[in-house]
Amino acid sequence: MDAHAKDPHTVTVNLRDSEGSYTCDINAGKHQLVADEPVPLGGDDLGAAPYQYLKAALGACTAMTLRMYAERKKWPLTNAIVTLRHSRDANKQSVFERDIQLIGELSDDQRERLLDIADRCPVHKTLSHGATILSKLVDQPEN
């Protein structure tokens, strides 16, 4: 299985310092991001924590999916505000709570339909159905 065949948006993450730091520089196409752990967990808090990025991915995908659907239907959705929390249940399974605020002159039926559509965003599908992660070691490039 060629994991790169369908994803033109490769992301590269590397540790910023050679030792003692959790800070990571993230290259996502032309976008530069920073990830880190908060100070109480031994980080320097120079960027969002990995689970914050995961929640951001779910929230952004949800909002974008809602906008796309509303535009296609010509519904008056002016904004979608998605607030996310992550915890673990008694079985240590991840639980994401997603509060969706729909802004616009929408009917109750439209609002309910948009709530259903939120579950169709690609990131939601990936998280709820699981994913296969294929890891391999690659050689260090020679200088």
Side-chain angles (χ1 to χ4, degrees), residues 104-138:
E105 297 295 322
L106 299 160
S107 70
D108 288 343
D109 287 344
Q110 289 171 329
R111 294 171 59 76
E112 285 301 317
R113 181 65 180 144
L114 287 170
L115 180 60
D116 291 338
I117 292 299
D119 290 348
R120 295 187 182 179
C121 92
V123 173
H124 175 103
K125 287 180 179 181
T126 298
L127 289 173
S128 61
H129 294 112
T132 300
I133 300 172
L134 306 173
S135 300
K136 65 181 177 183
L137 293 174
V138 295

Side-chain angles (χ1 to χ4, degrees), residues 51 86-95:
Y51 270 98
H86 173 262
S87 61
R88 297 195 186 273
D89 65 15
N91 296 319
K92 299 192 180 194
Q93 293 294 312
S94 282
V95 176

Side-chain angles (χ1 to χ4, degrees), residues 25-40:
D25 291 309
I26 303 167
N27 294 308
K30 64 180 180 180
H31 307 286
Q32 308 299 308
L33 306 165
V34 176
D36 202 351
E37 290 290 352
V39 173

Side-chain angles (χ1 to χ4, degrees), residues 1-9:
M1 177 178 187
D2 184 359
H4 301 289
K6 291 187 175 185
D7 185 4
H9 307 289

Side-chain angles (χ1 to χ4, degrees), residues 56-78:
L58 176 57
C61 187
T62 300
M64 291 175 188
T65 299
L66 294 173
R67 167 67 48 86
M68 287 177 196
Y69 188 85
E71 284 180 348
R72 193 167 57 244
K73 292 290 190 176
K74 299 192 180 351
W75 290 353
L77 176 69
T78 58

